[in-house]
Amino acid sequence: MLPFLQRFVGSNVKETADHLLYAEVKKNLETYYMMFQLGKYRLFSLQAFEAVAAGPGVVLDEDVVYYGRRIMEYNQAAKEYRDYKDWYSEDVNRKTRENAGVLHEKKQIAQEKFEGLEDIILAAKKAFQLQGC
């Protein structure tokens, strides 16, 4: 994505990438609060993080790198839970005690990955604020 950005913003690529990533962090904080209030697990957006982090010579603050890693871990666990829940719900024959146990385990893993994300997202947000975003 950085070459794409370079065409539109010239030498301000890093600044623009930081602003895009900062906007995504703020949006993910709102998403976190919504999920927390509703008790429903959804996936966070990581499009800007993945695009910026993949750029050549990109150096991100360690709090931002940690944020990206933890959000990816949560997204993977939440996706596995959601996919298994869909599979489990599709057919009454799949609703066995064993499959219910697996579903419950996947939900617990997603919950564990969700816990503590608020502080991690806030730390990433603060790192951007310190940079002047």
Side-chain angles (χ1 to χ4, degrees):
M1 180 158 169
L2 285 177
F4 171 78
L5 290 173
Q6 285 175 332
R7 284 188 282 152
F8 292 102
V9 294
S11 63
N12 294 328
V13 173
K14 169 124 177 62
E15 184 178 317
T16 302
D18 284 349
H19 286 295
L20 288 172
L21 189 49
Y22 179 56
E24 184 175 80
V25 168
K26 291 190 315 184
K27 177 75 171 145
N28 281 339
L29 184 60
E30 291 175 15
T31 301
Y32 169 86
Y33 290 134
M34 181 192 65
M35 287 190 291
F36 182 79
Q37 289 175 349
L38 297 175
K40 296 197 180 223
Y41 300 111
R42 297 183 181 171
L43 301 180
F44 289 100
S45 172
L46 277 176
Q47 291 176 327
F49 179 82
E50 290 171 347
V52 170
V58 173
V59 178
L60 295 173
D61 183 277
E62 67 182 57
D63 287 332
V64 176
V65 172
Y66 184 63
Y67 151 84
R69 185 169 55 81
R70 284 293 308 275
I71 295 291
M72 283 182 205
E73 290 172 4
Y74 163 78
N75 276 355
Q76 181 63 35
K79 183 174 181 342
E80 287 176 13
Y81 165 65
R82 188 178 63 193
D83 290 348
Y84 195 85
K85 182 179 175 184
D86 290 345
W87 174 84
Y88 177 82
S89 300
E90 285 175 353
D91 186 350
V92 76
N93 294 326
R94 295 179 185 160
K95 294 184 178 184
T96 66
R97 180 177 297 258
E98 182 180 332
N99 289 342
V102 172
L103 181 63
H104 181 72
E105 182 180 311
K106 289 186 179 295
K107 184 177 182 180
Q108 281 185 308
I109 292 169
Q111 286 174 329
E112 289 170 7
K113 298 286 184 187
F114 186 77
E115 291 174 13
L117 284 181
E118 178 183 22
D119 292 336
I120 293 165
I121 297 169
L122 287 171
K125 182 180 176 190
K126 184 177 180 181
F128 282 109
Q129 289 170 331
L130 292 174
Q131 292 177 12
C133 285

